[in-house]
Amino acid sequence: EIQLNGSLVQRANWGLDLGLGVSLLESKVEDMGGIPSFTTGRGLGDARVMEGQPVPVRVDYFVTNPDAIAAPVYEVSHIYGPVFPTKQISGNTQLRLPGGVALSARGEFRGGHYLSVSPMSIQRSVISPQCFPYYVDRTKSIALKPDTPALWIARCTPTQGRGYMYEGDYFKLRSLTATIPVGFAFPESVRSSTLTVSLNNSYLWTKEIPWMDPEGGNNDGAGSIAPGLSERTPAPITLRLGLQVNF
């Protein structure tokens, strides 16, 4: 883990500060002591502990003919990769302006892992927006068009509901903040006053994950051994105003 902080520019009335943090995670099961590999969760797509692989590793169905207009052909125990992010890069910056005004931003990238993302309850015959292009009539049934590719047959057929494993790389802009002295708006008896305006979770980029917050979680919450995504409310974009007055 590396953490760097410094001032890029230092002037009497303004300056620019930068911070960078890099954290890397690598793990490998060297010896199981003679016991077989085992799944840490409730299903094949959760996670598995097995020799020669990260702790734990994603093992799930893999569609070997994704673009074929045919029935899906599966590799049942395909090894995707680590459950947890192997690299995390965080950055922050602050621009100090004349008059005591400061603008700051903080963002974070996490990647190198795989995430099981099931946006809709396909197995319960729920009509899924992801499958709209492949339904014969999305307003009436979940019947699929005859030219549906194998990957989408696997994803959109209730008896299968497979193929929802994605590279988990994402970047989130955690916060944008402006700090502004507002002493001019108060009487002289007030020593100092500052207005802080913060915009949080305003931007999200994902490499493969479809329209989902990678931090949304699942039924197991923080106790989940293998994080996954199901029907959960994403982190909201929030605007916060704070006023600090010192007498």
Side-chain angles (χ1 to χ4, degrees):
E1 183 175 345
I2 301 174
Q3 187 72 42
L4 300 173
N5 293 284
S7 295
L8 188 63
V9 179
Q10 284 276 22
R11 295 290 186 270
N13 294 321
W14 71 283
L16 179 63
D17 302 329
L18 297 175
L20 177 67
V22 178
S23 179
L24 303 178
L25 173 66
E26 182 177 352
S27 65
K28 181 180 179 181
V29 179
E30 297 289 353
D31 192 338
M32 295 284 289
I35 67 172
S37 62
F38 59 91
T39 299
T40 59
R42 296 175 300 190
L44 180 64
D46 288 338
R48 185 173 294 182
V49 176
M50 56 193 305
E51 288 186 4
Q53 298 297 331
V55 188
V57 65
R58 294 281 185 190
V59 179
D60 201 359
Y61 289 96
F62 177 77
V63 180
T64 62
N65 60 337
D67 299 321
I69 307 302
V73 177
Y74 293 110
E75 179 185 335
V76 176
S77 295
H78 178 78
I79 298 174
Y80 283 88
V83 168
F84 298 108
T86 59
K87 48 185 175 289
Q88 181 174 317
I89 304 172
S90 59
N92 62 83
T93 182
Q94 183 181 60
L95 177 63
R96 292 174 279 108
L97 300 172
V101 175
L103 305 176
S104 62
R106 182 170 60 90
E108 185 177 53
F109 168 83
R110 295 181 182 181
H113 62 301
Y114 285 82
L115 195 60
S116 176
V117 181
S118 182
M120 305 295 291
S121 298
I122 300 295
Q123 290 88 347
R124 300 176 186 174
S125 299
V126 173
I127 294 177
S128 170
Q130 278 193 291
C131 302
F132 279 0
Y134 307 103
Y135 290 140
V136 174
D137 186 347
R138 68 189 190 192
T139 66
K140 294 182 179 180
S141 74
I142 56 172
L144 299 176
K145 298 176 182 177
D147 59 348
T148 299
L151 176 61
W152 289 97
I153 293 176
R155 287 177 174 175
C156 302
T157 302
T159 55
Q160 300 183 46
R162 300 165 182 159
Y164 288 101
M165 191 69 70
Y166 300 91
E167 289 187 54
D169 297 28
Y170 71 95
F171 170 82
K172 181 174 282 192
L173 184 59
R174 300 289 185 185
S175 66
L176 292 171
T177 302
T179 304
I180 308 168
V182 289
F184 61 86
F186 292 87
E188 294 183 0
S189 58
V190 174
R191 289 190 301 168
S192 63
S193 54
T194 304
L195 175 65
T196 302
V197 182
S198 297
L199 181 64
N200 302 317
N201 297 321
S202 60
Y203 175 77
L204 171 66
W205 170 87
T206 61
K207 183 175 183 179
E208 283 190 352
I209 301 170
W211 45 271
M212 294 284 286
D213 186 341
E215 300 173 352
N218 55 23
N219 291 340
D220 297 324
S224 175
I225 297 176
L229 296 183
S230 52
E231 307 94 328
R232 291 296 175 270
T233 303
I237 298 175
T238 60
L239 177 64
R240 294 184 177 181
L241 303 178
L243 178 63
Q244 182 177 8
V245 181
N246 297 316
F247 294 93

